[in-house]
Amino acid sequence: MLTMEMYPSLALGPQRIGDCFYRDREPPAHMPLFPPACDVAPTGLPSRMLGPPPVPNNPANKTQKDEVNMELENASLWKQFSSVGTEMIITKKGRRMFPGLKLKLSGLNPSLRYILLLDIIPADNSRYRFQGGSWQPVGKAEARLPDRVFIHPDSPATGAHWQSRTISFHYAKLTNNTLDSQGHIILHSLHRYQPRVHVIEARDVLRWGGGQHSFVFPETQFITVTAYQNNKITELKINSNPFAKGFREDGMNMLNQSVIFPHRSDNIAESAYTSTFPTAQATSTSFPSVPLPQSSSSFSSLPVPDSSDTSDPQPSIPPINYPSILTSSPTLSSSTTPSLQQTSFTFPTPPPSNPSPELLMSSCSPTTNTYHTIPETISPHTPGDGSFPAAPSTCQSGLQDHISAHSLLPQPNQSLQDEPITNENNSPCDQSSAVFIYPNTLHTNPDPASVTAQPLPNPAPPPTLQCGLTTQGASTSFAFPSIPPHMQNLSFANVSPGPAHPALHLPNLSHQAQAPPLSAAFPSSSFTHPSSSLPHPSFQPSSCLAVSSTPSLPPTAHPQSIPNPSTSAPTTAYPPVEIGAIPQFNPPAPYRPDMVLHHPSLLPQLDPSCLPSSTPPTALYPAFPSYPLRLCQDPHPSLSIPFRHLYRQHQHGHAHPQGSYLDMSSRAVF
DNA sequence: TCAACTATCACTTTTGAAACGG
DNA sequence: ACCGTTTCAAAAGTGATAGTTG
């Protein structure tokens, strides 16, 4: 079966159907939707963090790590919902998100593999109730539930793979069932959440690290409900979601179209509110992840959000009056800029003596390890350059076929069903977020033009690979019960937790490097962050710097790297922000991370002197607390990590068809 | 009593296998 | 036998609604 998934180069690029959604519509101006949830944010987040990046004198010094961008492709749809107050249904059996997260990535090394993760963290510490037409905080949030991370089913895939298509997380499901065994993301009802997307360089499944880029799109915040509270949201969902066509008054036509959507001629939600919202500028803004010269193509050619757009964010639809939790939160004028989370999530690297060269690939961590790209068989799933060695021939098992078959399956992210089809207007979906004012940051955020359009400084030295762990000594053993089948030839690095990570329970997996990668399929599952009564690690502003964890790459480290056309595309892309960069002004319910892949306290301190003097802003998105990405689970502690997936494979036989989850809890999933 | 939750319904889209023809 | 297209039924997703729960 020849598919574009296998050969992304056959894709139509930016003109693919999925890429065309809503490009003919401008995002509406926005009124504050959610309560500014963090008053202390401005103070908690170092202002230098948002400072404009220094303009490199020598463009040649720019490395790819400086260009990782993520664009919320259906940002305008999200903004429509956000302008009303996005509600997400959660059910016991799990409910998909609508709108879904449709993303475009650029700036990745085409030859390196990356894992994409989705997690959803509490946006604040309040429970909400819909009263008087608006959401009001009515009390303290429930204890935090086990955090699960949804692994994009394509993971790991090459940068070329991710960049060649729209990345959709529509398979992720939300549930309020705390005993969920399906690997869905467990959330509390009537709480406000913020999705995050993490791009993790993965040399192999057990050897993550080398770089992590986390992206937060504030407009994707939502309040979980078991039944819609706001009629406007219901209306929007019905008009936007193809599955809800049956509830439209006249089939494919919009409900109350003549009133609310006078210009609509189809069922595209994206255009639903165009008549009610001011039209945004057609141009979009790109926000590179890390230091990029202002003169770079991805930047200079991109218009800075017009301040006028932010001056009149009043939507036609009366905004919901959210309590002003974040009255002093910084204003983000160009709000689709994701809160940048970091890039400093690293893992221990294998010792130089790692005898498994076939597992190695181009590395970007010159200071800690060197990976070599070797010729290999190109996996159908990781098309492109063949930088990723296929499982050695010595690794023959009955599961091999399973893996291959899986790799040949059409990738789920090709499904676009969760988003309405674009209307007859074929103009590109407006990716611009320039006019979007994120509610939570509306008031005091610095000028987006100076904030988001400026690359963040990267004064941090090449990070050493480390396993970020909490200092609480929580259990840190973890497994990957739900690794997609094509991830099986990945192995853990020889983890050698140091004294700083006493709880790390990773066995020395160097033998994996010596032995062929296991090819057994990983049953999809989820990693769950176990709920805990222990307090959440306090946020440490010092670690909230936009420091890229992506190791510096020597120019030769990416022999196959190619220019990424998307970097110059006028789209709304955002630089990654450091995980934990968001101040924890409103401490969330306590939890006990079993393993913290990234922890602020472990991040290199940012030397203020390295920051540009012109650094203006104080914070981008202070609206939610810092939640490090935590990966951990050990459903079968008796098995060494490399074999647990075999155990699970034997039990279940098939990977979860809708993606994989990292379940940090002790519960077995799938 | 009421807010929140759950199961069920009708309707829709999606998906994949089977049928068909070249 | 192979390949591509079409057809169709099952699976899955959707909001609405009535009933249940605490």
Side-chain angles (χ1 to χ4, degrees):
Chain A
M1 176 185 298
L2 178 63
T3 66
M4 287 196 296
E5 188 72 13
M6 296 166 55
Y7 302 98
S9 61
L10 299 178
L12 299 179
Q15 296 307 314
R16 290 163 57 225
I17 293 174
D19 296 343
C20 297
F21 289 167
Y22 316 133
R23 288 185 176 177
D24 57 329
R25 291 294 185 269
E26 299 297 337
H30 283 263
M31 285 294 289
L33 169 61
F34 293 102
C38 65
D39 292 346
V40 299
T43 58
L45 190 62
S47 60
R48 63 180 182 271
M49 175 182 174
L50 301 176
V55 177
N57 296 330
N58 182 9
N61 292 336
K62 186 178 68 176
T63 59
Q64 282 204 327
K65 67 186 178 68
D66 297 335
E67 304 174 5
V68 177
N69 296 330
M70 181 175 285
E71 163 196 349
L72 182 62
E73 198 165 74
N74 55 346
S76 56
L77 181 60
W78 274 102
K79 290 170 189 173
Q80 289 178 12
F81 281 89
S82 179
S83 66
V84 179
T86 309
E87 299 175 18
M88 288 291 176
I89 291 282
I90 56 175
T91 65
K92 203 170 182 178
K93 292 182 178 179
R95 195 81 149 189
R96 287 183 177 181
M97 293 173 60
F98 189 89
L101 288 171
K102 300 179 71 66
L103 310 166
K104 292 288 287 184
L105 259 178
S106 62
L108 300 177
N109 185 323
S111 62
L112 290 183
R113 275 185 181 180
Y114 299 88
I115 292 173
L116 263 63
L117 307 176
L118 167 67
D119 70 348
I120 299 176
I121 62 172
D124 56 31
N125 196 27
S126 297
R127 177 187 176 90
Y128 288 83
R129 178 177 296 173
F130 194 73
Q131 292 178 326
S134 64
W135 286 100
Q136 309 285 345
V138 294
K140 196 175 180 66
E142 302 272 342
R144 198 177 175 199
L145 292 167
D147 296 339
R148 284 179 173 175
V149 177
F150 178 87
I151 304 178
H152 193 283
D154 286 8
S155 301
T158 59
H161 174 94
W162 295 119
Q163 295 172 145
S164 65
R165 68 207 64 216
T166 296
I167 303 163
S168 175
F169 281 95
H170 68 273
Y171 280 132
K173 284 187 175 181
L174 313 180
T175 183
N176 58 348
N177 182 12
T178 57
L179 301 179
D180 172 74
S181 62
Q182 303 302 312
H184 304 325
I185 297 175
I186 305 173
L187 304 175
H188 280 303
S189 182
L190 303 177
H191 286 60
R192 192 156 61 99
Y193 289 95
Q194 170 69 63
R196 299 188 306 186
V197 178
H198 310 275
V199 180
I200 302 173
E201 182 182 322
R203 295 175 180 83
D204 49 61
V205 71
L206 301 181
R207 192 184 300 147
W208 295 9
Q212 173 187 344
H213 304 268
S214 298
F215 300 85
V216 172
F217 300 91
E219 64 266 43
T220 61
Q221 276 194 21
F222 58 83
I223 290 179
T224 51
V225 295
T226 55
Y228 289 124
Q229 306 292 308
N230 190 338
N231 292 335
K232 288 187 175 65
I233 286 295
T234 304
E235 200 170 83
L236 259 180
K237 297 243 182 181
I238 290 174
N239 293 329
S240 307
N241 195 327
F243 283 105
K245 279 183 178 178
F247 301 102
R248 297 172 188 171
E249 278 188 347
D250 50 351
M252 299 293 289
N253 292 325
M254 303 290 296
L255 183 65
N256 300 327
Q257 178 175 344
S258 60
V259 177
I260 301 177
F261 317 114
H263 300 305
R264 283 185 59 86
S265 59
D266 60 2
N267 61 341
I268 306 309
E270 182 66 13
S271 59
Y273 283 93
T274 54
S275 63
T276 61
F277 291 101
T279 298
Q281 59 189 17
T283 57
S284 56
T285 303
S286 176
F287 303 95
S289 68
V290 233
L292 274 178
Q294 287 180 317
S295 60
S296 66
S297 61
S298 62
F299 248 161
S300 57
S301 62
L302 298 176
V304 173
D306 188 347
S307 60
S308 63
D309 292 334
T310 63
S311 62
D312 184 16
Q314 306 296 331
S316 300
I317 296 177
I320 295 175
N321 296 325
Y322 285 91
S324 179
I325 297 176
L326 292 176
T327 55
S328 63
S329 64
T331 298
L332 183 67
S333 6
S334 171
S335 73
T336 25
T337 302
S339 303
L340 291 185
Q341 305 233 351
Q342 99 114 351
T343 52
S344 66
F345 150 126
T346 57
F347 256 127
T349 54
S353 60
N354 188 324
S356 180
E358 61 272 15
L359 292 177
L360 305 178
M361 61 181 58
S362 298
S363 172
C364 53
S365 178
T367 61
T368 57
N369 56 1
T370 300
Y371 293 87
H372 305 280
T373 300
I374 62 172
E376 63 175 338
T377 300
I378 299 176
S379 167
H381 191 75
T382 57
D385 43 53
S387 303
F388 290 84
S393 59
T394 57
C395 184
Q396 300 297 331
S397 72
L399 298 173
Q400 197 84 19
D401 293 341
H402 174 81
I403 297 170
S404 300
H406 179 90
S407 298
L408 293 173
L409 293 175
Q411 296 304 309
N413 66 343
Q414 289 181 316
S415 173
L416 301 173
Q417 62 88 24
D418 66 331
E419 300 292 349
I421 305 299
T422 187
N423 62 12
E424 61 279 3
N425 187 338
N426 291 332
S427 62
C429 177
D430 173 28
Q431 302 303 324
S432 173
S433 301
V435 299
F436 174 68
I437 307 298
Y438 186 57
N440 289 358
T441 59
L442 181 64
H443 303 296
T444 61
N445 263 0
D447 178 20
S450 61
V451 175
T452 60
Q454 299 286 349
L456 296 172
N458 186 13
T464 58
L465 293 179
Q466 61 183 7
C467 196
L469 295 175
T470 67
T471 58
Q472 296 175 349
S475 166
T476 58
S477 62
F478 68 101
F480 297 81
S482 60
I483 305 301
H486 51 280
M487 294 174 70
Q488 293 166 29
N489 57 350
L490 304 176
S491 63
F492 262 112
N494 183 357
V495 178
S496 300
H501 314 126
L504 181 61
H505 191 264
L506 291 175
N508 185 323
L509 299 173
S510 60
H511 65 279
Q512 273 216 323
Q514 298 169 352
L518 297 173
S519 59
F522 279 84
S524 295
S525 180
S526 65
F527 280 73
T528 302
H529 305 295
S531 295
S532 168
S533 58
L534 295 180
H536 186 288
S538 59
F539 175 75
Q540 302 185 18
S542 63
S543 63
C544 298
L545 306 173
V547 177
S548 173
S549 68
T550 303
S552 300
L553 288 174
T556 58
H558 302 295
Q560 302 180 33
S561 65
I562 57 176
N564 188 341
S566 62
T567 57
S568 60
T571 60
T572 303
Y574 310 99
V577 212
E578 177 180 359
I579 287 181
I582 306 304
Q584 190 174 353
F585 49 92
N586 220 352
Y591 74 93
R592 178 182 54 198
D594 278 3
M595 178 170 182
V596 180
L597 296 185
H598 165 86
H599 191 278
S601 63
L602 297 177
L603 295 175
Q605 300 297 309
L606 179 63
D607 183 358
S609 63
C610 298
L611 294 166
S613 58
S614 59
T615 299
T618 57
L620 280 177
Y621 292 95
F624 50 89
S626 167
Y627 289 98
L629 178 61
R630 293 161 293 147
L631 303 175
C632 141
Q633 183 189 22
D634 191 354
H636 305 291
S638 63
L639 297 175
S640 63
I641 289 175
F643 298 102
R644 283 178 200 141
H645 65 283
L646 291 175
Y647 175 80
R648 301 187 67 82
Q649 161 66 20
H650 179 70
Q651 283 184 316
H652 306 283
H654 298 288
H656 193 285
Q658 297 183 343
S660 302
Y661 300 83
L662 297 178
D663 190 338
M664 306 307 198
S665 72
S666 59
R667 295 193 302 272
V669 293
F670 296 106

